[in-house]
Amino acid sequence: MDRVLRAHALKPENFFDVLEERRRGSDISHALRTFSAQVPPVPVSALNRMVQESQYLHYVISEIAAETGEPYECVKDEATSILEEMSQNLQLSFIRLMAFALTKVFKRLFSSIRVNEDGLARLQQAIQEHPVILVPNHRSYIDFLVLSYIMFTYDLSVPVIAAGIPLMGMSLVGEVLRRSGAFFIRRAIGSDKLYWAVLSEYVRTIVRTGFAPLEFFVEGLRSRTLKSLKPKLGMMQMVLEPFFKGEVYDITLVPISISYDRVLEESLLAHELLGVPKPSETTRGLLKARRVLEENYGCMHVYFGNPVSVRELAEGRIQRGQYNLIPRDLPLKLSANLQEFVGDVAHLVVHLQERGSVLSPWSLMALILLQNPDDLDWNVFIQKTLRLRTLASQLGAQIDWPAQLSDLEVMSSSMALHHAVVQSENGRVRLVEKEGPGPITQEEAVLRRASSVLMCASYRNQALHVFTRPALVAAAMAMAPSHSKEDVFGRFRFLQDLLANEFIFIPGHTVQDFEEGCSGLLRCGALSIQDHALSVIGEAQDTVVFLSGILKPFIETYQVVLEVLGKETFQTFTEKRFVPDIRAATVKLILSGEVRSYECISSDTLKNALSALVRMEAASKCQVADQIEYRVNQNVLRRIRDTLDGSVASEVPLYSRL
Ligand SMILES: CCCCCCCCCCCCCCCC(=O)SCCNC(=O)CCNC(=O)[C@H](O)C(C)(C)COP(=O)(O)OP(=O)(O)OC[C@H]1O[C@@H](n2cnc3c(N)ncnc32)[C@H](O)[C@@H]1OP(=O)(O)O
Ligand SMILES: O=C(CO)COP(=O)(O)O
C-alpha cells in the first residue's frame, strides 16, 4: 500500500473547462451526436437472467428455504422481486435526454466545470483493460450527474451507479435515473441474507462481465460537513470479490475527487447538522428547489485520480490460491485477512480522493475567518490568507488561485460568491447572520449564529486533510511531557485514535502519518529534529500555534462531550437523546461564555465523539427493549479527559492567530 501511495504522488496537471465548448456549440447536437462507447457485452435483460440463474443464488435460496421451511419457489420469487426493484435499465436514449437537460442546467449554475485532461486519458485506457470501478467522493446530488455527463461528453462508457433506494421512489425521476444507469440499493441491509445475496451477485455479475464501469459512493451518503467520511465496506467488498475468486485478472479502482467553489445544498446541509430533518426526496421537492437555479455556484473541479490496480495492492498480502479450492459458485466467507484488506483499500481510496481535491481560495479564507471569529480587518484578512496559501502549497495542496487576477480580485470575487455566509462592511469582514421574523430567544440566536459558522466551516473542511497530520504533530507537541520523538509520538497516537472518525487515516499507518506530519512541518520551516528530539523553530512559532488551532473546534467539542458525560445525569442515556441533550447543554455553555466554538453543537462531531468513546471503552452500547442505550465508564472517561486536558489548554490559546 505504501508503494501505491508513493506511486500516486500528485503531479501538477492541466485542467480544461468542459462547458467551454458547450457554450459555443448547440446543446441538441451535443446530445444527439454519434456515441459508440456504450457497447455492453450483454443486454440488460441477459444480465438479470445471469443473476437469477446463477448457481450462487440457487445455493443461497436453497439454504434459506431449508432454514425457514418456506418452499424454494417462494424464496426464488422473493429474490426475483428484489432484483426487479434493484436493477438498472441503462438506455442511450435516456442518456441523451439527460445530456441535453444537464447542459442547460450546468451552464446556468457553474461558471466552469474543470476536468484534468490526463485523468480522462488514463481512464480511457483503463476501461479497455480491466473492469473499472469509479469511486468519487460525495458532497452533492450534482456529483453523479456531472460524472456521467463528462463520460458521455468524452466518449467513455457511461457508468451504472449504486443509488440509495429513496431516489427510486421519486415519481418519474426515479425511472429516468434507472434508465440512466442507477441501480437501487436498500440501506441498513443488516442481516437480510437474501437481499445481500441478490445484491452481491448483481454487483459481481456487472464486474465479471464488464457490463459497464461501475460507480459507487464509498462514503455511503453526502458528507454534511464536506469533510471525508469513514468509508462503508459492503459495496467495496462486493466489487473486489470477483478478483478474490480469480474470476477476473485484475480490477481497476479510479478515485475521483469532486471539489466545489460553492455547494448547491450548503444551507440545507448546515441545517441538518443542527437537527433540522433532511427534506425527503420527492419530485415535488425537486421542483420546489428550482430556486437554486437562480444562483451562481462558481467553478467545480473533477479530478480523475490515477487508476489503482487491485492486483498490485494485493501483491504479497493475499494468496488467491486458497480460494481455488472453493467452487466459485459458492458464497465466499471472507477471512479476517481479506476483511482487513477490504477496509484498507476503502480507506486508501478516500485518502486518494482527498489528495486529488482542489482547494478554492474560499476554503483558505474560511479557515482564517473561523480562527478569527469576531470581525477582521480586510487588509489583515488578505495578508493572512496569502500566508496560508503559501503554507498550504508547502504542504502539497492543489490550489485553484486564478493567476490572471490580482489577489484582491480573487478574494473579492470569492466574497461575492459566498455573500450568503460572509460580508464586508467599512473595511471589516464578518460572518453573515441570517435575519428571521420576530423576536427570538437567546438559544435561537445561538442556533442562527451556528448555522453561519457551520456553513463556513464546511468550506474550511474541504482543506483540512492538507493540514491534519502536521496539525496533529503540533498539538501532540503541546500536550507531550517532553519533545522527545517518543513522547510526541505517544500523544500523536492518542489524538489520532480519538479523532479517527473525524479524519481519514489508513489503518495501521500511524507511524507513516506521524512521519508525514513531521516532514510537513520541516518543509514549511517550522520544525527541526535533532538527537531524536523535536523543536519548534523560533520564528515559526506562529505557524505551529496556527496549525494546532485548526484542530481546536474538534478537540473542544470532545472536551465538552467528556465534561457533560462526566455528570451524574448522564450515567446512562439513549442513542436518540444523545445529540439533543448534549446540544442543549452545550448551548447553555456557549451562552455562559464557557465554550467558544459554535461548531460544538454540530451533530456530526457529537456523534463522532460518541463513536470514539465507545471505541476507547469509555462508553458501552447495548440494546434495551427497542432502544439503543449507552453506559458511561467514568474511570476511562476521566483518563481520556485528563490526557486531553493536559493538552492544548496551557500552550495553545483558544483561538490562535496565524
Ligand atoms: C449524460 C448525462 C447522463 C446523466 C446520468 C444520470 C445518472 C443518474 C444516476 C443516479 C445515481 C444516483 C446515485 C446516488 C448516490 C447515492 O445514493 S449514495 C448511497 C448509496 N450507495 C452506497 O451507499 C454505497 C456505499 N454503501 C455500502 O457499501 C454499504 O455497505 C451497503 C452495501 C449499502 C450496505 O449498507 P449497510 O446495510 O448500512 O451496512 P454497512 O453499514 O456497510 O455495514 C454494517 C456493518 O457491517 C460491517 N461490515 C460490512 N462489510 C464489512 C467488511 N467487509 N468487513 C468488515 N466489516 C464489514 C460494517 O463496518 C458495519 O459495522 P458497524 O459500523 O455497524 O459496526
Ligand atoms: O447519497 C444520497 C444520494 O446522493 C442520498 O443520501 P443522503 O441524502 O443521505 O446524502
Side-chain angles (χ1 to χ4, degrees), residues 95 98-99 102 138 144-145 148-149 152 161-164 167 177 180 182 185-190 196 216-217 220 232-235 237-238 339 342:
I95 296 291
M98 289 293 279
L102 288 178
H138 200 12
F144 48 83
L145 298 174
S148 293
Y149 183 79
F152 172 74
I161 311 169
L167 291 173
L177 296 180
S180 306
I185 54 176
R186 295 182 196 163
R187 292 239 174 99
I189 303 165
W196 274 112
F216 75 98
F217 292 92
K232 299 262 187 192
L233 304 181
M235 190 61 73
Q237 176 179 323
M238 289 176 226
Q339 281 194 24
V342 171

Side-chain angles (χ1 to χ4, degrees), residues 464-521:
L464 276 189
H465 61 276
V466 173
F467 305 100
T468 313
R469 287 161 185 79
L472 279 172
V473 174
M477 284 175 81
M479 288 168 73
S482 84
H483 282 180
S484 75
K485 217 170 176 183
E486 290 70 30
D487 278 349
V488 178
F489 177 69
R491 297 302 161 127
F492 177 92
R493 198 169 42 193
F494 164 77
L495 282 174
Q496 199 183 46
D497 191 15
L498 187 72
L499 300 174
N501 287 71
E502 223 57 71
F503 307 110
I504 300 301
F505 303 112
I506 299 174
H509 264 227
T510 307
V511 172
Q512 291 93 324
D513 287 330
F514 180 69
E515 294 299 339
E516 193 184 322
C518 290
S519 64
L521 289 171

Side-chain angles (χ1 to χ4, degrees), residues 3 68 137 139 208 220 237-238 254 270 296 357 465 616 646:
R3 201 173 22 150
T68 59
N137 58 355
R139 305 290 174 262
R208 223 174 16 228
Q237 176 179 323
M238 289 176 226
V254 180
N296 171 18
S357 67
H465 61 276
M616 295 168 100

Side-chain angles (χ1 to χ4, degrees), residues 64-137:
I64 294 174
E67 282 163 16
T68 59
E70 262 188 88
Y72 176 90
E73 285 308 319
C74 285
V75 185
K76 191 173 173 206
D77 287 350
E78 219 180 305
T80 307
S81 63
I82 293 174
L83 185 63
E84 276 165 9
E85 171 192 90
M86 179 183 301
S87 56
Q88 49 78 27
N89 185 10
L90 184 60
Q91 294 174 12
L92 190 53
S93 51
F94 276 79
I95 296 291
R96 292 189 186 285
L97 176 75
M98 289 293 279
F100 179 71
L102 288 178
T103 305
K104 301 255 174 249
V105 172
F106 289 157
K107 284 199 289 192
R108 198 162 179 149
L109 293 177
F110 299 107
S111 52
S112 55
I113 298 179
R114 294 161 59 76
V115 178
N116 63 325
E117 219 166 340
D118 294 347
L120 275 183
R122 290 187 297 252
L123 176 58
Q124 188 167 32
Q125 178 69 29
I127 288 178
Q128 284 159 21
E129 292 171 353
H130 303 291
V132 164
I133 315 294
L134 305 174
V135 201
N137 58 355

Side-chain angles (χ1 to χ4, degrees), residues 138 140-141 144 164 166-167 187 217 220-224 272 278 281:
H138 200 12
S140 165
Y141 287 126
F144 48 83
L167 291 173
R187 292 239 174 99
F217 292 92
L221 66 161
R222 291 166 300 151
S223 165
R224 271 53 179 166
E272 276 189 56
K278 167 182 136 175
E281 285 126 334

Side-chain angles (χ1 to χ4, degrees), residues 59-70:
Y59 180 90
V60 177
I61 290 172
S62 310
E63 243 186 13
I64 294 174
E67 282 163 16
T68 59
E70 262 188 88

